[in-house]
Amino acid sequence: MKYPSFLILIALLWSGDANSQDHQHAYGKALTFPDIPGFKTLKCDLHQHTVFSDGEVWPSIRVMEALREGLDAISLTEHLEYQPHREDIPHPDRNRSYQLALEEARDHDLLIIHGSEITRNAPIGHSNAIFISDANALLDENAEVPFREAKKQGAFVFWNHPAWYAQNPDGNPILSDFQRTRIKNGELHGIEVINTFDYAEESLALALEHNLTIMGTSDIHGLIDWDYLEKGNHRPVTLVFAKERSARSLREALFEGRTVAVYNSLFVGRPEFLVPLLKACIKIHRVAYIPNTDILEVELENSSSSDLLFENQMGYTFYSKPPVFEIPAGKKILLQIKTLERKGKLDLRLKALGAYTAPKTQPVVTWELLPE
Ligand SMILES: [Zn+2]
Ligand SMILES: [Zn+2]
């Protein structure tokens, strides 16, 4: 039987692809965010599980998932005190999950951060210690010990899912005396404002009140594909603004609070990082008046992987576009601004409706327009 030539071509492309792409895991649905002035934007998911605690996959799968989605850094934060697979997968060395991820990542461009989840009932709750050197040393009956030990190891520690209804039935975080003491002692540095699908405004309020680093994580137990990608979503991530793409710079940036938590079109962060990020996400291409009119045409491109929703904050209105509009991820749109007279320059001012710098507070972003 003779194969149609296009099938042979596909077969050739397929095999060529398989050879040249040997041991790569990238594919077409990467998370994309621009750098901001002075910093590299690192896409991080620093809260994940594997079979070495209550997750469903082997650590190498977490590395491959991260590469497929274009992340820069991950941490496998196994529950220290909750080990439901212990009978089948005994592992007296609690560093094993990290070591296996490191092995898989050796041939790849992905930072693996050593972490563990300190796991207690309310009011202490769950916390991740990352940038640890030995997870075994964090095991102790007394909950104060792992925090003290994590600090000794130079770890960055953040409070996980503070609004989790299993621990706080009204879905609101309660800052306990335990956490107040940890913050005072320099043993707690960050807080998840986005965990899995949940953004808690109350957690953001706590972050701002106590000067904690704003975090977003997947807390994935199953497969990223099943929970997020095949539903048309990306996992939640923390964007970390680091001086360079290294574990050292990442750690420094976390301690300095240089982050924005992102889940699809939702952005949560301090204005000094969130505003430059949104500004960098939108590239301005062509700015010119329609001939014989006072209508300024501006071509905008969203260079990020998130759909962005904006509201007009200018003194001028738009032609053939409502004041609230979306720029889909990776797409270009045309704005037509009725400036009433020809302007030499003006500011495009838009409120980012999916972005929050504080509960119910959205930032206004400004781009300078210079008509041709
Ligand atoms: Zn947890
Ligand atoms: Zn967890």
Side-chain angles (χ1 to χ4, degrees):
M1 182 181 167
K2 190 175 181 300
Y3 287 101
S5 56
F6 76 92
L7 279 183
I8 296 171
L9 181 62
I10 287 170
L12 284 171
L13 286 172
W14 184 275
S15 62
D17 198 51
N19 292 332
S20 63
Q21 302 268 315
D22 188 44
H23 206 189
Q24 289 187 20
H25 306 291
Y27 87 138
K29 281 212 73 176
L31 281 159
T32 311
F33 295 98
D35 294 336
I36 64 170
F39 297 110
K40 284 231 154 280
T41 300
L42 304 186
K43 294 151 281 176
C44 309
D45 185 3
L46 301 169
H47 185 173
Q48 305 189 49
H49 296 276
T50 78
V51 288
F52 285 85
S53 59
D54 58 344
E56 306 293 338
V57 307
W58 197 255
S60 56
I61 297 291
R62 292 288 178 242
V63 174
M64 296 180 206
E65 286 175 330
L67 292 165
R68 279 161 59 93
E69 227 175 342
L71 298 190
D72 296 290
I74 62 166
S75 186
L76 305 184
T77 48
E78 312 297 355
H79 293 284
L80 284 165
E81 301 84 357
Y82 182 51
Q83 296 276 310
H85 303 310
R86 186 167 35 196
E87 303 269 295
D88 297 305
I89 306 169
H91 67 295
D93 181 0
R94 297 309 179 78
N95 301 304
R96 193 63 194 134
S97 172
Y98 166 69
Q99 289 160 358
L100 288 166
L102 262 193
E103 266 172 43
E104 176 60 35
R106 202 158 36 203
D107 302 337
H108 302 292
D109 197 14
L110 180 70
L111 303 170
I112 309 292
I113 309 303
H114 196 175
S116 275
E117 182 163 4
I118 303 163
T119 312
R120 295 292 193 281
N121 292 330
I124 296 170
H126 298 187
S127 300
N128 277 346
I130 58 173
F131 297 95
I132 57 172
S133 50
D134 178 16
N136 301 314
L138 269 57
L139 278 164
D140 199 280
E141 291 279 297
N142 178 353
E144 292 181 9
V145 174
F147 285 85
R148 208 182 304 141
E149 177 61 28
K151 186 182 179 184
K152 214 170 89 189
Q153 295 185 12
F156 173 84
V157 182
F158 58 97
W159 184 11
N160 299 341
H161 45 71
W164 187 26
Y165 61 63
Q167 294 198 324
N168 295 310
D170 60 4
N172 278 335
I174 300 164
L175 189 77
S176 68
D177 286 343
F178 182 87
Q179 275 126 6
R180 284 179 195 279
T181 307
R182 303 284 83 69
I183 293 169
K184 190 160 64 70
N185 291 356
E187 296 169 350
L188 186 62
H189 318 101
I191 182 169
E192 286 180 348
V193 302
I194 301 174
N195 174 286
T196 316
F197 314 119
D198 182 51
Y199 159 51
E201 295 181 45
E202 301 81 4
S203 300
L204 174 59
L206 285 176
L208 299 176
E209 193 184 333
H210 297 276
N211 198 25
L212 299 169
T213 299
I214 292 168
M215 308 291 291
T217 72
S218 72
D219 199 356
I220 186 74
H221 290 70
L223 289 169
I224 288 288
D225 249 330
W226 292 1
D227 285 9
Y228 295 101
L229 298 181
E230 75 171 21
K231 298 186 172 93
N233 298 314
H234 277 291
R235 73 173 90 194
V237 290
T238 308
L239 300 182
V240 183
F241 306 101
K243 287 182 187 148
E244 56 185 50
R245 193 179 182 282
S246 69
R248 224 184 90 148
S249 276
L250 172 59
R251 179 178 174 276
E252 186 227 355
L254 286 170
F255 273 107
E256 293 294 317
R258 296 200 300 262
T259 62
V260 167
V262 180
Y263 179 43
N264 294 323
S265 295
L266 172 67
F267 289 65
V268 185
R270 290 181 163 80
E272 56 267 44
F273 306 109
L274 184 46
V275 171
L277 176 69
L278 292 165
K279 190 166 172 154
C281 283
I282 300 300
K283 305 246 177 299
I284 297 189
H285 286 297
R286 211 177 64 87
V287 184
Y289 278 94
I290 300 173
N292 308 315
T293 75
D294 296 322
I295 298 174
L296 183 65
E297 276 195 331
V298 184
E299 193 182 44
L300 303 175
E301 182 180 11
N302 177 356
S303 67
S304 82
S305 50
S306 294
D307 299 333
L308 295 173
L309 194 63
F310 290 109
E311 183 182 50
N312 183 14
Q313 300 288 303
M314 304 172 80
Y316 312 114
T317 58
F318 297 149
Y319 189 81
S320 53
K321 195 172 280 303
V324 172
F325 61 97
E326 188 186 67
I327 315 182
K331 291 283 192 297
K332 287 179 186 167
I333 64 141
L334 204 59
L335 269 192
Q336 297 175 323
I337 308 166
K338 300 192 283 184
T339 62
L340 306 178
E341 56 180 359
R342 295 257 174 152
K343 297 276 179 191
K345 77 171 185 185
L346 71 160
D347 282 344
L348 172 65
R349 283 167 45 80
L350 303 174
K351 184 186 273 187
L353 295 184
Y356 294 93
T357 54
K360 298 183 174 61
T361 308
Q362 295 135 312
V364 173
V365 187
T366 302
W367 297 261
E368 189 179 66
L369 300 178
L370 298 166
E372 284 171 11

